[in-house]
Amino acid sequence: MKNIFVGNLSFNATEDAVRSMFEAYGTVERVNIVTDRDTGRAKGFGFVEMSVDSDGDRAIEALSGRELDGRSLTVNEARPKEDRSGGGYRGKSGGGAGRMNNRW
């Protein structure tokens, strides 16, 4: 299974339009255009999953730079999602306590 990143999509691009572009190169398992969770509006990028890696490679080669809705697409193999489990809010990081103790 080849997971492909598709960037610089028009905000009006549909999953059907993206699917039809990629189907010329092989079986498309899934198309997902990423949307803003608050507004529901497209963010201008998405992902395509193709069944056969070699078909995905051909699609990347052929469609990178191709225009859809007047925009030149960025098409490449998707990188694995980075682990975001580290970090996060850890509370106050010192400082500020002096003001409370000095009772101005």
Side-chain angles (χ1 to χ4, degrees):
M1 182 84 62
K2 178 72 83 173
N3 192 14
I4 302 167
F5 170 82
V6 183
N8 202 34
L9 285 169
S10 157
F11 296 116
N12 298 319
T14 65
E15 289 182 358
D16 287 338
V18 173
R19 177 181 295 277
S20 68
M21 284 180 62
F22 279 83
E23 283 180 333
Y25 301 95
T27 302
V28 174
E29 292 295 324
R30 192 169 85 106
V31 176
N32 178 32
I33 294 179
V34 178
T35 57
D36 182 277
R37 77 176 75 164
D38 294 329
T39 65
R41 203 178 135 178
K43 287 188 164 189
F45 68 95
F47 297 92
V48 174
E49 290 180 359
M50 296 190 73
S51 300
V52 180
D53 283 355
S54 60
D55 291 346
D57 291 337
R58 286 187 316 116
I60 291 169
E61 180 74 27
L63 298 176
S64 186
R66 183 168 165 193
E67 283 196 14
L68 177 66
D69 295 335
R71 299 185 73 157
S72 180
L73 300 178
T74 300
V75 182
N76 51 47
E77 186 169 357
R79 293 185 217 112
K81 192 172 185 178
E82 291 183 16
D83 180 18
R84 294 185 178 192
S85 62
Y89 183 74
R90 298 177 194 254
K92 273 195 162 180
S93 59
R99 182 176 282 177
M100 291 175 69
N101 292 337
N102 288 333
R103 304 228 192 261
W104 303 47

